[in-house]
Amino acid sequence: MSAYPRANAAEIQGIFNRIAPVYDQFNDRLSFRLHRLWKRMTVKWSGAKPGDRALDLCCGSGDLALLLAKSVRRGEVVGVDYSSELLAIARDRARQAFVPASLSWIEADVLSLPWEDEQFDCATMGYGLRNVTDIPRCLQELYRVLKPQAQAAILDFHRPDAPILQGFQDYYLSQYVVPLAEELGLAAEYAYISPSLARFPKGKNQVQLARQVGFQAVHYPILGGLMGVLQLHK
């Protein structure tokens, strides 16, 4: 999904297809592998338990979906993404791993999910909400497909409030992320990160949007607000 206008959806879908071969390598280097810890925290906050039917939105190469599979065990996990290339990588990873749950991958738009109401016991989303073109609509769709009493957890980057952390983030993006993207030949593809951060609602605003949809919501900042998890309860 994309932070660009919806008219450019095909272009952005192409961008994510192009970055797919280096997506995992980039995430490891970008976060110094800490994204793996944050994703485990996200699965914990989703409330996933054995036997659940779990949904992972904007699943990318499958990190959260595979972690969910360990938590739901004899249950089911469905990973959804708009990028066919990332889904292909997720399928390959799942085939090479021990997956203690039924696992499937669906190419779909998270703004129009292909299920009837109240189908899932829990859900996760990692680094996807910031990039959708309509955040309220995405939250509405998530609310619709979750069962009553279900929980969800959404992990993403944020623009921090503290000026010193804003300065650190600007430095990190310009001096680390941009050179790394250039090294991988993907400078243009990762140019969307800074504008997407600038437009992304901060934690308290995410909570307000989630409550307007019907969720009970709490936002947990990580690293002083550079990262955060929005926990939802239907």
Side-chain angles (χ1 to χ4, degrees):
M1 301 304 296
S2 155
Y4 288 90
R6 195 162 178 78
N8 294 327
E11 176 187 355
I12 302 308
Q13 186 180 33
I15 286 175
F16 279 91
N17 282 336
R18 290 196 297 276
I19 68 175
V22 297
Y23 184 75
D24 291 321
Q25 176 191 353
F26 193 87
N27 285 340
D28 278 341
R29 294 178 64 179
L30 191 65
S31 70
F32 307 100
R33 298 180 71 87
L34 286 172
H35 73 99
R36 298 173 184 271
L37 171 62
W38 301 327
K39 287 171 180 173
R40 287 196 294 271
M41 293 166 60
T42 302
V43 169
K44 181 178 179 180
W45 274 324
S46 77
K49 60 187 183 300
D52 276 356
R53 188 183 190 203
L55 176 65
D56 182 30
L57 298 178
C58 299
C59 66
S61 60
D63 278 357
L64 279 168
L66 290 170
L67 289 172
L68 280 170
K70 294 179 180 179
S71 293
V72 306
R73 283 179 269 177
R74 62 182 181 276
E76 178 186 0
V77 178
V78 181
V80 177
D81 204 280
Y82 201 42
S83 166
S84 59
E85 295 299 324
L86 283 171
L87 287 173
I89 292 172
R91 290 187 184 96
D92 286 342
R93 290 182 64 194
R95 281 194 288 265
Q96 297 172 28
F98 170 70
V99 181
S102 171
L103 187 54
S104 58
W105 309 97
I106 305 295
E107 183 176 345
D109 187 341
V110 297
L111 303 184
S112 182
L113 294 172
W115 292 284
E116 300 294 329
D117 297 353
E118 300 182 359
Q119 297 294 308
F120 295 92
D121 300 289
C122 60
T124 56
M125 189 176 193
Y127 307 110
L129 190 64
R130 174 174 45 88
N131 295 323
V132 302
T133 56
D134 189 336
I135 291 173
R137 173 68 180 274
C138 180
L139 293 173
Q140 288 169 359
E141 277 293 276
L142 177 58
Y143 186 90
R144 182 182 66 78
V145 300
L146 287 176
K147 297 176 183 178
Q149 307 304 316
Q151 291 181 209
I154 298 174
L155 169 69
D156 220 313
F157 295 113
H158 296 81
R159 186 69 172 160
D161 290 319
I164 190 169
L165 288 175
Q166 291 179 10
F168 169 78
Q169 187 178 71
D170 292 338
Y171 179 85
Y172 169 76
L173 290 171
S174 64
Q175 301 300 314
Y176 186 70
V177 175
V178 170
L180 178 56
E182 290 175 345
E183 176 187 330
L184 297 173
L186 297 169
E189 284 79 356
Y190 277 92
Y192 77 93
I193 292 180
S194 288
S196 73
L197 280 169
R199 289 191 291 266
F200 192 41
K202 294 184 179 181
K204 62 182 180 182
N205 301 113
Q206 293 177 36
V207 167
Q208 291 174 348
L209 290 171
R211 288 176 177 170
Q212 289 170 7
V213 168
F215 283 115
Q216 297 177 39
V218 180
H219 186 269
Y220 297 100
I222 300 172
L223 295 179
L226 291 165
M227 201 82 54
V229 174
L230 179 65
Q231 186 186 39
L232 307 171
H233 187 191
K234 180 172 178 178

Coordinates of all heavy atoms in Angstrom, one line a residue, residues 104-183:
S104 N -2.2 -19.1 4.9 CA -2.5 -18.7 3.5 C -2.2 -17.3 3.3 O -2.1 -16.5 4.2 CB -4.0 -19.0 3.2 OG -4.9 -18.3 4.1
W105 N -2.0 -17.0 2.0 CA -1.6 -15.6 1.5 C -2.6 -15.1 0.5 O -2.8 -15.8 -0.5 CB -0.2 -15.7 1.0 CG 0.8 -16.4 1.9 CD1 1.2 -17.7 1.8 CD2 1.4 -15.9 3.0 NE1 2.0 -18.0 2.8 CE2 2.2 -16.9 3.6 CE3 1.4 -14.6 3.6 CZ2 3.0 -16.7 4.7 CZ3 2.2 -14.4 4.8 CH2 3.0 -15.4 5.3
I106 N -3.1 -13.9 0.7 CA -4.1 -13.3 -0.2 C -3.6 -12.0 -0.7 O -3.2 -11.1 0.0 CB -5.4 -13.1 0.6 CG1 -5.9 -14.4 1.2 CG2 -6.5 -12.5 -0.4 CD1 -6.3 -15.5 0.3
E107 N -3.6 -11.8 -2.0 CA -3.3 -10.5 -2.6 C -4.6 -9.7 -2.7 O -5.6 -10.0 -3.4 CB -2.8 -10.7 -4.0 CG -2.4 -9.3 -4.7 CD -1.7 -9.5 -6.1 OE1 -1.4 -10.6 -6.4 OE2 -1.7 -8.5 -6.8
A108 N -4.7 -8.6 -1.9 CA -5.9 -7.9 -1.7 C -5.6 -6.5 -1.2 O -4.5 -6.2 -0.7 CB -6.9 -8.6 -0.8
D109 N -6.5 -5.6 -1.4 CA -6.5 -4.2 -0.9 C -7.0 -4.2 0.5 O -8.2 -4.6 0.8 CB -7.3 -3.3 -1.8 CG -7.2 -1.8 -1.5 OD1 -6.7 -1.5 -0.4 OD2 -7.5 -1.0 -2.4
V110 N -6.2 -3.7 1.5 CA -6.7 -3.7 2.9 C -7.9 -2.7 3.1 O -8.5 -2.7 4.2 CB -5.6 -3.3 3.8 CG1 -4.5 -4.4 3.8 CG2 -5.0 -2.0 3.6
L111 N -8.2 -1.8 2.1 CA -9.3 -0.9 2.2 C -10.6 -1.6 1.7 O -11.7 -1.0 1.8 CB -9.1 0.3 1.3 CG -7.8 1.1 1.7 CD1 -7.8 2.4 0.8 CD2 -7.7 1.5 3.1
S112 N -10.5 -2.8 1.2 CA -11.7 -3.6 0.8 C -11.4 -5.1 0.9 O -11.1 -5.8 0.0 CB -12.0 -3.2 -0.7 OG -13.2 -3.9 -1.1
L113 N -11.5 -5.5 2.2 CA -11.1 -6.9 2.5 C -12.1 -7.9 2.0 O -13.3 -7.7 2.1 CB -10.9 -7.1 4.0 CG -9.7 -6.3 4.6 CD1 -9.7 -6.3 6.1 CD2 -8.4 -6.8 4.0
P114 N -11.7 -9.0 1.4 CA -12.6 -10.0 0.8 C -13.2 -11.0 1.7 O -13.3 -12.2 1.4 CB -11.6 -10.7 -0.2 CG -10.3 -10.7 0.5 CD -10.3 -9.4 1.3
W115 N -13.7 -10.5 2.9 CA -14.4 -11.4 3.8 C -15.7 -10.8 4.3 O -15.9 -9.6 4.3 CB -13.5 -11.7 5.0 CG -12.3 -12.6 4.7 CD1 -12.3 -13.9 4.4 CD2 -11.0 -12.1 4.5 NE1 -11.0 -14.3 4.1 CE2 -10.2 -13.2 4.1 CE3 -10.3 -10.9 4.6 CZ2 -8.8 -13.1 3.9 CZ3 -9.0 -10.8 4.4 CH2 -8.2 -11.9 4.0
E116 N -16.6 -11.7 4.7 CA -17.8 -11.3 5.4 C -17.4 -10.7 6.8 O -16.3 -10.8 7.3 CB -18.8 -12.4 5.6 CG -19.2 -13.0 4.2 CD -20.0 -12.1 3.4 OE1 -20.8 -11.2 4.0 OE2 -20.0 -12.2 2.2
D117 N -18.4 -10.1 7.5 CA -18.1 -9.6 8.8 C -17.8 -10.6 9.8 O -18.2 -11.8 9.7 CB -19.4 -8.8 9.3 CG -19.8 -7.7 8.4 OD1 -19.0 -7.3 7.5 OD2 -20.9 -7.1 8.6
E118 N -17.0 -10.2 10.8 CA -16.7 -11.0 12.0 C -16.1 -12.4 11.7 O -16.6 -13.4 12.1 CB -18.0 -11.1 12.9 CG -18.5 -9.8 13.3 CD -19.8 -9.8 14.2 OE1 -20.2 -11.0 14.5 OE2 -20.3 -8.8 14.6
Q119 N -15.0 -12.4 11.1 CA -14.3 -13.6 10.7 C -13.0 -14.0 11.4 O -12.6 -15.1 11.4 CB -14.0 -13.6 9.2 CG -15.2 -13.4 8.3 CD -16.0 -14.7 8.3 OE1 -15.6 -15.8 8.1 NE2 -17.3 -14.5 8.5
F120 N -12.4 -13.0 12.1 CA -11.1 -13.2 12.7 C -11.1 -12.9 14.2 O -11.8 -12.0 14.7 CB -10.1 -12.3 12.0 CG -9.9 -12.7 10.6 CD1 -10.6 -12.1 9.6 CD2 -9.0 -13.7 10.2 CE1 -10.4 -12.4 8.3 CE2 -8.8 -14.1 8.9 CZ -9.5 -13.4 7.9
D121 N -10.3 -13.7 15.0 CA -10.2 -13.6 16.4 C -9.1 -12.5 16.8 O -9.2 -12.0 17.9 CB -9.8 -14.9 17.0 CG -10.8 -16.0 16.7 OD1 -11.9 -15.9 17.3 OD2 -10.5 -16.9 16.0
C122 N -8.2 -12.2 15.9 CA -7.1 -11.3 16.3 C -6.5 -10.8 14.9 O -6.7 -11.4 13.9 CB -6.1 -11.9 17.2 SG -5.2 -13.3 16.5
A123 N -5.7 -9.7 15.0 CA -5.0 -9.2 13.8 C -3.8 -8.5 14.2 O -3.7 -7.9 15.3 CB -6.0 -8.4 13.0
T124 N -2.9 -8.4 13.2 CA -1.7 -7.6 13.3 C -1.5 -6.8 12.0 O -2.1 -7.1 11.0 CB -0.4 -8.4 13.6 OG1 -0.3 -9.4 12.5 CG2 -0.4 -9.1 14.9
M125 N -0.7 -5.7 12.1 CA -0.3 -5.0 10.9 C 1.1 -4.3 11.2 O 1.2 -3.7 12.3 CB -1.3 -3.9 10.7 CG -1.2 -3.2 9.3 SD -2.6 -2.0 9.1 CE -2.4 -1.6 7.4
G126 N 2.0 -4.5 10.4 CA 3.4 -4.0 10.6 C 3.8 -3.1 9.5 O 3.9 -3.5 8.4
Y127 N 4.0 -1.8 9.8 CA 4.5 -0.8 8.9 C 3.6 -0.7 7.7 O 4.1 -0.6 6.5 CB 6.0 -1.2 8.5 CG 6.8 -1.3 9.7 CD1 7.4 -2.6 10.1 CD2 7.1 -0.2 10.5 CE1 8.1 -2.7 11.2 CE2 7.9 -0.4 11.7 CZ 8.4 -1.6 12.0 OH 9.2 -1.8 13.1
G128 N 2.3 -0.8 7.9 CA 1.4 -0.7 6.8 C 0.4 0.4 6.9 O 0.0 1.1 5.9
L129 N 0.0 0.7 8.1 CA -1.1 1.7 8.3 C -0.6 3.1 7.8 O -1.4 3.9 7.2 CB -1.5 1.8 9.8 CG -2.7 2.7 10.1 CD1 -4.0 2.1 9.4 CD2 -2.9 2.9 11.6
R130 N 0.7 3.4 8.0 CA 1.3 4.7 7.6 C 1.2 4.8 6.0 O 1.2 5.9 5.5 CB 2.7 4.8 8.0 CG 3.5 5.9 7.6 CD 4.9 5.9 8.2 NE 5.5 4.6 8.2 CZ 6.2 4.1 7.2 NH1 6.5 4.9 6.2 NH2 6.7 2.9 7.3
N131 N 1.1 3.7 5.3 CA 1.2 3.8 3.9 C -0.1 3.6 3.2 O -0.2 3.7 1.9 CB 2.1 2.7 3.4 CG 3.6 3.0 3.8 OD1 4.0 4.1 3.9 ND2 4.3 1.9 4.2
V132 N -1.2 3.3 3.9 CA -2.5 3.2 3.2 C -3.0 4.6 2.9 O -2.7 5.6 3.5 CB -3.6 2.5 4.1 CG1 -3.1 1.1 4.4 CG2 -3.9 3.2 5.3
T133 N -3.9 4.7 1.9 CA -4.3 6.0 1.4 C -5.5 6.5 2.2 O -5.9 7.7 2.1 CB -4.7 5.9 -0.1 OG1 -5.7 4.8 -0.2 CG2 -3.5 5.6 -1.0
D134 N -6.1 5.7 3.0 CA -7.3 6.1 3.7 C -7.3 5.3 5.1 O -7.8 4.2 5.2 CB -8.6 5.8 3.0 CG -9.8 6.4 3.6 OD1 -9.8 6.6 4.8 OD2 -10.8 6.6 2.8
I135 N -6.7 5.9 6.1 CA -6.5 5.3 7.4 C -7.9 5.0 8.0 O -8.1 3.8 8.5 CB -5.6 6.1 8.3 CG1 -4.2 6.1 7.8 CG2 -5.7 5.6 9.7 CD1 -3.2 7.0 8.5
P136 N -8.8 5.9 8.1 CA -10.1 5.5 8.7 C -10.8 4.4 8.0 O -11.4 3.5 8.7 CB -10.9 6.8 8.6 CG -9.9 7.9 8.6 CD -8.8 7.3 7.8
R137 N -10.7 4.3 6.7 CA -11.3 3.2 6.0 C -10.7 1.9 6.3 O -11.3 0.9 6.5 CB -11.3 3.5 4.5 CG -11.7 2.3 3.6 CD -13.2 2.1 3.7 NE -13.6 1.0 2.8 CZ -13.9 1.1 1.5 NH1 -13.9 2.3 0.9 NH2 -14.2 0.1 0.8
C138 N -9.3 1.9 6.4 CA -8.6 0.7 6.8 C -9.0 0.2 8.1 O -9.3 -1.0 8.3 CB -7.1 1.0 6.7 SG -6.1 -0.4 7.1
L139 N -9.1 1.1 9.1 CA -9.6 0.8 10.5 C -11.0 0.2 10.5 O -11.3 -0.7 11.2 CB -9.4 1.9 11.4 CG -8.0 2.4 11.7 CD1 -7.9 3.7 12.5 CD2 -7.2 1.3 12.4
Q140 N -11.8 0.8 9.6 CA -13.2 0.4 9.5 C -13.3 -1.1 9.0 O -14.0 -1.9 9.5 CB -14.0 1.3 8.6 CG -14.4 2.6 9.2 CD -14.9 3.6 8.2 OE1 -15.0 3.3 7.0 NE2 -15.2 4.8 8.6
E141 N -12.5 -1.4 8.0 CA -12.4 -2.7 7.4 C -11.9 -3.7 8.5 O -12.4 -4.8 8.6 CB -11.6 -2.7 6.2 CG -12.3 -2.3 4.9 CD -13.4 -3.3 4.5 OE1 -13.1 -4.3 3.9 OE2 -14.5 -3.0 4.9
L142 N -10.9 -3.3 9.2 CA -10.4 -4.2 10.2 C -11.4 -4.4 11.3 O -11.6 -5.6 11.7 CB -9.1 -3.5 10.9 CG -8.5 -4.3 12.0 CD1 -8.1 -5.7 11.6 CD2 -7.3 -3.5 12.6
Y143 N -12.1 -3.4 11.7 CA -13.2 -3.6 12.7 C -14.3 -4.5 12.2 O -14.8 -5.4 12.9 CB -13.8 -2.2 13.0 CG -14.8 -2.2 14.2 CD1 -14.4 -2.0 15.5 CD2 -16.2 -2.4 13.9 CE1 -15.3 -2.1 16.5 CE2 -17.1 -2.4 14.9 CZ -16.7 -2.3 16.2 OH -17.6 -2.3 17.3
R144 N -14.6 -4.3 10.9 CA -15.7 -5.1 10.3 C -15.4 -6.6 10.4 O -16.2 -7.5 10.7 CB -15.9 -4.7 8.9 CG -17.0 -5.4 8.2 CD -17.2 -4.9 6.7 NE -16.1 -5.3 5.9 CZ -15.8 -6.5 5.4 NH1 -16.7 -7.5 5.6 NH2 -14.8 -6.7 4.6
V145 N -14.1 -7.0 10.0 CA -13.8 -8.4 9.9 C -13.4 -9.1 11.2 O -13.3 -10.3 11.2 CB -12.7 -8.7 8.8 CG1 -13.2 -8.2 7.4 CG2 -11.4 -8.1 9.2
L146 N -13.2 -8.3 12.2 CA -12.9 -8.9 13.5 C -14.2 -9.3 14.3 O -15.2 -8.7 14.2 CB -12.1 -7.9 14.4 CG -10.7 -7.6 14.0 CD1 -10.1 -6.5 14.9 CD2 -9.8 -8.9 14.1
K147 N -14.0 -10.4 15.0 CA -15.2 -10.9 15.8 C -15.3 -10.0 17.1 O -14.3 -9.3 17.4 CB -14.9 -12.3 16.3 CG -14.8 -13.3 15.2 CD -14.5 -14.7 15.7 CE -14.3 -15.7 14.6 NZ -13.9 -17.1 15.1
P148 N -16.5 -10.0 17.7 CA -16.6 -9.2 18.9 C -15.6 -9.7 20.0 O -15.3 -10.9 20.1 CB -18.1 -9.6 19.4 CG -18.8 -9.9 18.1 CD -17.8 -10.6 17.2
Q149 N -15.0 -8.8 20.7 CA -14.0 -9.0 21.7 C -12.6 -9.3 21.2 O -11.7 -9.6 21.9 CB -14.4 -10.2 22.7 CG -15.8 -10.1 23.3 CD -15.9 -8.8 24.1 OE1 -15.1 -8.4 24.8 NE2 -17.1 -8.1 23.9
A150 N -12.5 -9.3 19.9 CA -11.2 -9.5 19.2 C -10.2 -8.4 19.5 O -10.6 -7.2 19.8 CB -11.3 -9.7 17.7
Q151 N -8.9 -8.7 19.4 CA -7.9 -7.7 19.6 C -7.0 -7.6 18.3 O -7.0 -8.5 17.5 CB -7.0 -8.0 20.8 CG -7.7 -7.9 22.1 CD -6.8 -8.2 23.3 OE1 -7.2 -8.7 24.3 NE2 -5.5 -8.0 23.1
A152 N -6.4 -6.4 18.2 CA -5.5 -6.2 17.1 C -4.3 -5.3 17.6 O -4.5 -4.5 18.5 CB -6.2 -5.6 15.9
A153 N -3.2 -5.4 16.9 CA -2.1 -4.6 17.2 C -1.4 -4.1 16.0 O -1.1 -4.9 15.1 CB -1.1 -5.3 18.1
I154 N -1.1 -2.8 15.9 CA -0.6 -2.2 14.7 C 0.8 -1.5 15.0 O 0.8 -0.5 15.8 CB -1.6 -1.2 14.1 CG1 -2.9 -1.9 13.7 CG2 -1.0 -0.4 12.9 CD1 -4.0 -0.9 13.2
L155 N 1.8 -2.0 14.4 CA 3.2 -1.4 14.6 C 3.6 -0.5 13.5 O 3.3 -0.8 12.3 CB 4.2 -2.6 14.7 CG 5.7 -2.3 14.6 CD1 6.1 -1.6 15.9 CD2 6.5 -3.6 14.4
D156 N 4.2 0.6 13.8 CA 4.6 1.5 12.7 C 5.7 2.5 13.2 O 5.8 2.7 14.5 CB 3.5 2.3 12.1 CG 3.6 2.4 10.6 OD1 4.7 2.7 10.1 OD2 2.7 2.1 9.9
F157 N 6.4 3.2 12.3 CA 7.2 4.3 12.6 C 6.3 5.5 12.9 O 5.2 5.6 12.4 CB 8.1 4.7 11.3 CG 9.1 3.7 11.0 CD1 8.9 3.0 9.8 CD2 10.2 3.4 11.8 CE1 9.9 2.0 9.4 CE2 11.1 2.4 11.4 CZ 11.0 1.8 10.2
H158 N 6.9 6.5 13.6 CA 6.1 7.7 13.9 C 7.1 8.9 13.9 O 8.3 8.8 13.9 CB 5.5 7.6 15.3 CG 4.5 6.6 15.5 ND1 4.8 5.3 15.7 CD2 3.1 6.6 15.4 CE1 3.7 4.5 15.7 NE2 2.7 5.4 15.6
R159 N 6.5 10.1 13.8 CA 7.2 11.3 13.9 C 7.1 11.7 15.4 O 6.0 12.0 15.9 CB 6.5 12.4 13.0 CG 7.3 13.7 13.0 CD 8.6 13.6 12.3 NE 9.2 14.9 12.1 CZ 10.5 15.1 11.8 NH1 11.3 14.0 11.7 NH2 11.0 16.3 11.6
P160 N 8.2 11.7 16.1 CA 8.2 12.0 17.6 C 7.9 13.4 17.9 O 8.1 14.3 17.1 CB 9.6 11.6 18.0 CG 10.5 11.8 16.9 CD 9.6 11.5 15.7
D161 N 7.4 13.7 19.1 CA 7.1 15.0 19.6 C 8.3 15.8 19.9 O 8.4 17.0 19.6 CB 6.1 15.0 20.8 CG 4.7 14.5 20.4 OD1 4.2 14.9 19.3 OD2 4.1 13.7 21.1
A162 N 9.3 15.2 20.6 CA 10.4 15.9 21.1 C 11.3 16.4 20.0 O 11.7 15.6 19.1 CB 11.2 15.0 22.0
P163 N 11.7 17.7 20.0 CA 12.5 18.3 18.9 C 13.8 17.5 18.8 O 14.3 17.3 17.7 CB 12.7 19.7 19.4 CG 11.5 20.0 20.2 CD 11.2 18.8 20.9
I164 N 14.4 17.1 19.9 CA 15.7 16.4 19.8 C 15.6 15.1 19.1 O 16.5 14.7 18.3 CB 16.4 16.2 21.2 CG1 17.8 15.7 21.1 CG2 15.5 15.2 22.0 CD1 18.6 15.7 22.4
L165 N 14.4 14.4 19.3 CA 14.2 13.1 18.6 C 13.8 13.3 17.1 O 14.2 12.5 16.3 CB 13.1 12.3 19.3 CG 13.5 11.7 20.7 CD1 12.3 11.0 21.3 CD2 14.7 10.7 20.5
Q166 N 13.1 14.5 16.9 CA 12.9 14.8 15.5 C 14.2 15.0 14.7 O 14.3 14.6 13.6 CB 12.0 16.0 15.4 CG 10.6 15.8 15.9 CD 9.7 17.1 15.9 OE1 10.2 18.1 15.3 NE2 8.5 17.1 16.4
G167 N 15.1 15.7 15.4 CA 16.4 16.0 14.8 C 17.1 14.7 14.5 O 17.8 14.5 13.5
F168 N 17.1 13.8 15.5 CA 17.7 12.5 15.3 C 17.1 11.7 14.2 O 17.8 11.1 13.4 CB 17.6 11.6 16.6 CG 18.0 10.2 16.4 CD1 19.3 9.8 16.4 CD2 17.0 9.2 16.3 CE1 19.7 8.5 16.2 CE2 17.4 7.9 16.1 CZ 18.8 7.6 16.1
Q169 N 15.8 11.7 14.1 CA 15.1 11.0 13.0 C 15.5 11.6 11.6 O 15.7 10.8 10.7 CB 13.6 11.1 13.2 CG 12.8 10.2 12.2 CD 11.3 10.3 12.5 OE1 10.7 11.3 12.2 NE2 10.7 9.2 13.0
D170 N 15.5 12.9 11.5 CA 15.9 13.6 10.3 C 17.3 13.1 9.9 O 17.6 12.8 8.7 CB 15.8 15.1 10.4 CG 14.4 15.6 10.5 OD1 13.5 14.8 10.1 OD2 14.2 16.7 11.0
Y171 N 18.2 13.1 10.9 CA 19.6 12.8 10.6 C 19.7 11.3 10.2 O 20.4 10.9 9.2 CB 20.5 13.0 11.9 CG 21.9 12.6 11.7 CD1 22.8 13.4 11.2 CD2 22.3 11.3 12.1 CE1 24.2 13.1 11.0 CE2 23.7 10.9 12.0 CZ 24.6 11.8 11.4 OH 25.9 11.4 11.3
Y172 N 19.0 10.4 10.9 CA 19.0 9.0 10.6 C 18.5 8.7 9.2 O 19.1 7.9 8.4 CB 18.1 8.3 11.6 CG 17.7 6.9 11.3 CD1 18.7 5.9 11.5 CD2 16.5 6.5 10.9 CE1 18.3 4.5 11.3 CE2 16.1 5.2 10.7 CZ 17.1 4.2 10.9 OH 16.8 2.9 10.6
L173 N 17.4 9.4 8.8 CA 16.8 9.2 7.4 C 17.8 9.7 6.4 O 18.0 9.0 5.4 CB 15.5 10.0 7.3 CG 14.3 9.4 8.1 CD1 13.1 10.3 8.1 CD2 13.9 8.0 7.6
S174 N 18.4 10.9 6.6 CA 19.2 11.5 5.5 C 20.6 10.8 5.5 O 21.2 10.7 4.4 CB 19.4 13.0 5.7 OG 20.0 13.3 7.0
Q175 N 21.2 10.4 6.6 CA 22.5 9.9 6.7 C 22.7 8.4 6.7 O 23.8 7.9 6.5 CB 23.3 10.5 7.9 CG 23.3 12.0 7.9 CD 24.0 12.6 6.7 OE1 25.1 12.2 6.3 NE2 23.4 13.6 6.1
Y176 N 21.6 7.7 7.0 CA 21.6 6.3 7.0 C 20.7 5.6 6.0 O 21.1 4.8 5.2 CB 21.3 5.8 8.4 CG 21.5 4.3 8.6 CD1 22.8 3.7 8.6 CD2 20.4 3.4 8.7 CE1 23.0 2.4 8.7 CE2 20.6 2.1 8.9 CZ 21.9 1.5 8.8 OH 22.1 0.2 8.9
V177 N 19.4 6.0 6.1 CA 18.4 5.3 5.2 C 18.6 5.7 3.8 O 18.7 4.8 2.9 CB 17.0 5.8 5.7 CG1 16.0 5.2 4.7 CG2 16.7 5.3 7.1
V178 N 18.8 6.9 3.5 CA 19.0 7.3 2.1 C 20.3 6.7 1.5 O 20.2 6.1 0.4 CB 19.1 8.9 1.9 CG1 19.5 9.3 0.5 CG2 17.7 9.5 2.2
P179 N 21.5 6.7 2.1 CA 22.6 6.1 1.6 C 22.4 4.6 1.4 O 22.9 4.0 0.4 CB 23.7 6.4 2.6 CG 23.3 7.7 3.2 CD 21.8 7.6 3.3
L180 N 21.7 3.9 2.4 CA 21.5 2.5 2.3 C 20.6 2.2 1.1 O 20.9 1.2 0.3 CB 20.9 2.0 3.6 CG 20.5 0.5 3.6 CD1 21.7 -0.4 3.3 CD2 19.9 0.1 5.0
A181 N 19.6 3.0 0.9 CA 18.7 2.8 -0.3 C 19.5 3.0 -1.6 O 19.3 2.2 -2.5 CB 17.5 3.7 -0.2
E182 N 20.3 4.0 -1.6 CA 21.2 4.2 -2.8 C 22.1 3.0 -3.0 O 22.3 2.6 -4.2 CB 22.0 5.5 -2.6 CG 21.1 6.8 -2.7 CD 21.9 8.0 -2.4 OE1 23.0 7.9 -1.9 OE2 21.3 9.1 -2.6
E183 N 22.7 2.5 -1.9 CA 23.6 1.3 -2.1 C 22.9 0.1 -2.7 O 23.4 -0.6 -3.5 CB 24.1 1.0 -0.7 CG 25.0 -0.3 -0.7 CD 25.3 -0.7 0.8 OE1 25.4 0.2 1.7 OE2 25.5 -1.9 1.0

